[in-house]
Amino acid sequence: MAPPATRTRTPAGGESEAGFPFSAVIGQERLQLALILCAVHPGIGGVLVRGEKGTAKSTVVRALARLLPPVVDESGARAARLVELPVGATEDRVVGSLDLERVLRDGEQAFRPGLLAAAHHGVLYVDEVNLLHDHLVDVLLDAAAMGRVHIERDGISHSHPARFVLVGTMNPEEGELRPQLLDRFGLTVDVAASRDVDVRMSVVRRRLDYEADPAAFAAAYAPADAEIADRILTARDRLPGIALDDVELRRIAAVCASFDVDGMRGDLVVARTATAHAAWCGRDAVTADDVRIAAELALPHRRRRDPFDEPGITPEQLDEAMTEAADQADRPESTEEQRGESDAGSPEDGHGTGDRPDDDPEDGPGGGAGQPEDDPDGPGGGQPATESGEDSRKPDRPAGSGQASPPVAAPARPPRWEVPGMGEGAPGRRSRARTRQGRVVNAIPELTGGLHLLGTLQAAAPQQWARGRRTGPLRLAAPDLRGAYREGREGNLVVFVVDTSGSMAARDRLSAVTGAVVTLLRDAYQRRDKVAVIAVRGSVAELVLPPTSSTDIAVRRLADLRTGGKTPLAAGLRKAHEVMRRERVRDPRRRAMLVLLTDGRATGGTDPVPRARASAARLARDGIASIVIDCERGMVRLGLAAELAAVLRGTVVRLTELTGSAVADTVRAGTSGTGARAA
């Protein structure tokens, strides 16, 4: 991408040559401050901007690039670049790759830099970062944290500097980032359009003025933008001399501890942000105000360990944490002797040396030496080790009840359920699929998975004599090119059809079903599935949760499930088929599977049982993988759910424990040998 010619010129991005000025943006002061602080201190690690569409996220980011100091490199002085990373970018395009043109033309090994090299001393902007492949997000965050890119691939060993301001934007309604990736972003800002009428009027007026005469509008705000640019440069120069004494460092540690922040990255980011804020404000030392601002920007997203945890920190919570931190900051440092006594403990508390209690969590299966929390295939699969904890009980809360259901013993975790066959690779971690990012399995004539260099050379080698090559570079032709066949994992669409009719002992079933969907959604969150929920009751089948990857929206919708009436199973299966067909048009590569929770008693409509079986047969003909959770109870069992499963050509499992984990584990437990078919 060609760099801008001047500070007032912007890279391609939909706006005119002048670009909307940074200082002209209204109502996004917190976002502007976060971007400025990252420009002052790139070691903060970038900014994640979360918010609804149409809130000037992209406009502010593009405007920031024009304020950064000029870059001096081998070609001379130039303006800082804004590099935009497409969601569909490959790893080769991001980090760089072997320069095949020079290899084939000159016979020498050479490296072609990627987007990270182009963003050096500039801004790397990733719109819809939550839709970017996880491994690419890891690469970006590693580079932003280290300031360098290391490449070891295709026989290349290369390293180059890559210090840039990383900015990612996302709409939470389209899905969340994993907590582990959230933590890697230095700062996060939630943006929303103002509800103040005067502010909204001002925003529209400025935008219309800009569109009428971009050059004149930019010129009017040029002095304000120039002042911000000068302050950024001055703050950068001042940054190394900013003092962070032990009092403020203790305050930072106390605030992070009070919010139960995992690891030490949060403490480091708060310290760097507070130092940058002090430099921005022209101070020589970090103060409590700097720490508070830093905590507001650096800690909210680090409190979110689980997809269902509410992000954010309220002003009241921050006030309380700062008050407690002030008490800690005023205390003198503990002596080594005091710390030793504290660590040793006392005989009375049972935690002294050699007297660790038998139920210490570090010694048990849920201890600190267990599986990584982001490994859904390890023991526990990212779920709590037992069902007795507070978080484990939340999904099992009956509708209208203010108390949790009694805890039950967690069953042994079964193998992962996956759709049989080979998919085309909607990125995920559940079923086998042919993907662009998976492991290389073979060389093929098509170049869909990237170039397979070894396969290409092997295809070209036998032709060299016929092509007249005696010495010099290898002579290649188009028929020699081979692509890489890659195999990885895909995410699926999981459609729950939930019988919430009167025959299902509504209260218990609703608790179990809600817990099942919430638990499976947690698993789907890790495996990159989409989940939809259809409630069957009365005379209709209601789509209570359209296909989504957003856990927040899912939990809110599930809280409103209602029960009672007859059981129109046929309508529910037809609705599921309709949802799957519609989603197949939107996302042709994402395969679907059906999870039906019912006792099999179809009682709604005319000829309910034949109609339900006919709808099930249509799903089977379309090859939809299915599981039927038999919710029938009592001494006398009719086996209707099993009959329906046979028509679906799926598998049936009896639900003996009405808990979310039992249902979700059952869904994950099936195998390709169950008789279910892939879509």
Side-chain angles (χ1 to χ4, degrees), residues 67 168 182 288 304 462 531 580 584:
L67 304 183
L182 278 175
R304 190 171 197 176
V531 175
M580 292 174 182
R584 189 178 299 165

Side-chain angles (χ1 to χ4, degrees), residues 310-360:
E310 286 293 332
I313 294 175
T314 66
E316 293 76 15
Q317 290 172 324
L318 186 57
D319 288 340
E320 182 179 352
M322 289 296 292
T323 300
E324 294 176 0
D327 295 339
Q328 288 283 345
D330 292 338
R331 295 178 186 175
E333 277 196 61
S334 301
T335 64
E336 291 296 332
E337 182 178 350
Q338 290 172 327
R339 283 195 291 269
E341 290 175 357
S342 176
D343 292 339
S346 61
E348 288 78 13
D349 63 13
H351 288 76
T353 303
D355 194 23
R356 173 176 287 182
D358 293 337
D359 61 348
D360 192 306

Side-chain angles (χ1 to χ4, degrees), residues 248-585:
E248 298 308 325
L249 190 56
R250 180 175 289 272
R251 192 190 309 275
I252 291 171
V255 169
C256 292
S258 68
F259 285 120
D260 201 20
V261 174
D262 287 338
M264 298 304 300
R265 184 178 286 117
D267 302 61
L268 288 169
V269 172
V270 173
R272 291 167 182 159
T273 306
T275 304
H277 189 262
W280 170 250
C281 295
R283 290 190 282 270
D284 295 325
V286 172
T287 66
D289 289 338
D290 299 319
V291 173
R292 182 187 179 91
I293 293 294
E296 288 179 351
L297 296 172
L299 297 185
H301 60 300
R302 290 187 165 84
R303 302 188 66 205
R304 190 171 197 176
R305 295 179 180 82
D306 187 275
F308 310 119
D309 291 342
E310 286 293 332
I313 294 175
T314 66
E316 293 76 15
Q317 290 172 324
L318 186 57
D319 288 340
E320 182 179 352
M322 289 296 292
T323 300
E324 294 176 0
D327 295 339
Q328 288 283 345
D330 292 338
R331 295 178 186 175
E333 277 196 61
S334 301
T335 64
E336 291 296 332
E337 182 178 350
Q338 290 172 327
R339 283 195 291 269
E341 290 175 357
S342 176
D343 292 339
S346 61
E348 288 78 13
D349 63 13
H351 288 76
T353 303
D355 194 23
R356 173 176 287 182
D358 293 337
D359 61 348
D360 192 306
E362 292 185 7
D363 292 335
Q371 288 290 118
E373 63 180 334
D374 62 340
D375 181 9
D377 297 327
Q383 309 302 331
T386 68
E387 291 293 317
S388 59
E390 180 182 350
D391 290 341
S392 303
R393 293 194 300 265
K394 286 180 181 177
D396 299 326
R397 184 169 304 192
S401 170
Q403 298 186 2
S405 299
V408 299
R413 192 180 189 281
R416 171 176 54 200
W417 198 93
E418 58 184 57
V419 177
M422 182 73 69
E424 288 297 321
R429 301 176 64 185
R430 182 176 295 279
S431 305
R432 293 178 60 218
R434 179 180 176 181
T435 68
R436 291 180 60 87
Q437 285 78 33
R439 62 186 179 92
V440 177
V441 176
N442 204 353
I444 56 175
E446 299 83 12
L447 296 178
T448 54
L451 183 69
H452 192 291
L453 182 58
L454 182 59
T456 299
L457 297 178
Q458 288 175 335
Q463 311 298 326
Q464 297 307 296
W465 185 266
R467 292 172 185 170
R469 175 182 177 265
R470 302 298 181 265
T471 60
L474 200 68
R475 295 185 179 181
L476 293 185
D480 301 330
L481 297 179
R482 295 292 184 270
Y485 182 89
R486 299 175 182 271
E487 184 175 312
R489 291 281 173 181
E490 68 174 2
N492 300 117
L493 170 64
V494 182
V495 180
F496 273 89
V497 176
V498 180
D499 184 352
T500 60
S501 64
S503 68
M504 287 282 290
R507 181 185 176 114
D508 289 341
R509 291 303 190 276
L510 183 59
S511 173
V513 166
T514 302
V517 179
V518 170
T519 305
L520 184 60
L521 191 62
R522 181 182 284 107
D523 184 67
Y525 171 86
Q526 295 175 330
R527 302 194 189 282
R528 296 298 181 264
D529 291 329
K530 283 187 174 181
V531 175
V533 179
I534 297 169
V536 175
R537 61 180 292 273
S539 59
V540 296
E542 179 187 3
L543 180 63
V544 297
L545 179 66
T548 182
S549 299
S550 174
T551 54
D552 294 333
I553 295 176
V555 173
R556 289 198 296 268
R557 297 286 179 85
L558 290 172
D560 297 328
L561 279 179
R562 294 178 296 173
T563 62
K566 295 185 177 181
T567 313
L569 270 184
L573 295 174
R574 287 196 302 270
K575 175 69 74 172
H577 208 173
E578 175 188 334
V579 169
M580 292 174 182
R581 286 199 304 265
R582 187 167 59 242
E583 193 65 18
R584 189 178 299 165
V585 173

Side-chain angles (χ1 to χ4, degrees), residues 88-349:
T90 63
E91 187 173 352
D92 288 347
R93 184 72 183 98
V94 174
V95 302
S97 62
L98 188 68
D99 192 334
L100 287 177
E101 182 179 351
R102 292 181 62 181
V103 170
L104 300 177
R105 184 189 65 203
D106 305 327
E108 66 179 47
Q109 190 179 62
F111 177 74
R112 173 176 291 174
L115 295 176
L116 295 181
H120 186 44
H121 288 313
V123 177
L124 182 63
Y125 175 47
V126 188
D127 194 14
E128 296 181 319
V129 66
N130 52 321
L131 304 183
L132 196 67
H133 295 300
D134 284 352
H135 75 284
L136 287 183
V137 178
D138 283 326
V139 167
L140 297 181
L141 295 172
D142 281 339
M146 296 187 299
R148 295 193 68 84
V149 178
H150 300 277
I151 301 99
E152 298 286 346
R153 55 185 304 175
D154 298 329
I156 297 174
S157 179
H158 183 80
S159 177
H160 62 78
R163 296 187 64 82
F164 50 80
V165 179
L166 175 64
V167 183
T169 59
M170 59 174 283
N171 185 343
E173 293 183 359
E174 297 173 347
E176 292 283 356
L177 282 171
R178 289 189 287 125
Q180 291 80 7
L181 293 179
L182 278 175
D183 180 62
R184 300 290 296 280
F185 275 97
L187 310 179
T188 186
V189 179
D190 289 312
V191 297
S194 173
R195 299 302 185 257
D196 184 274
V197 175
D198 292 333
V199 172
R200 297 175 75 96
M201 286 178 59
S202 299
V203 170
V204 174
R205 175 58 61 198
R206 288 195 182 182
R207 187 68 199 188
L208 293 176
D209 290 346
Y210 167 74
E211 293 173 354
D213 192 343
F217 187 86
Y221 287 91
D225 271 12
E227 181 181 353
I228 295 174
D230 290 340
R231 284 188 64 186
I232 291 175
L233 194 56
T234 302
R236 281 189 176 185
D237 294 338
R238 182 188 293 270
L239 188 65
I242 300 297
L244 176 61
D245 60 31
D246 287 348
V247 171
E248 298 308 325
L249 190 56
R250 180 175 289 272
R251 192 190 309 275
I252 291 171
V255 169
C256 292
S258 68
F259 285 120
D260 201 20
V261 174
D262 287 338
M264 298 304 300
R265 184 178 286 117
D267 302 61
L268 288 169
V269 172
V270 173
R272 291 167 182 159
T273 306
T275 304
H277 189 262
W280 170 250
C281 295
R283 290 190 282 270
D284 295 325
V286 172
T287 66
D289 289 338
D290 299 319
V291 173
R292 182 187 179 91
I293 293 294
E296 288 179 351
L297 296 172
L299 297 185
H301 60 300
R302 290 187 165 84
R303 302 188 66 205
R304 190 171 197 176
R305 295 179 180 82
D306 187 275
F308 310 119
D309 291 342
E310 286 293 332
I313 294 175
T314 66
E316 293 76 15
Q317 290 172 324
L318 186 57
D319 288 340
E320 182 179 352
M322 289 296 292
T323 300
E324 294 176 0
D327 295 339
Q328 288 283 345
D330 292 338
R331 295 178 186 175
E333 277 196 61
S334 301
T335 64
E336 291 296 332
E337 182 178 350
Q338 290 172 327
R339 283 195 291 269
E341 290 175 357
S342 176
D343 292 339
S346 61
E348 288 78 13
D349 63 13

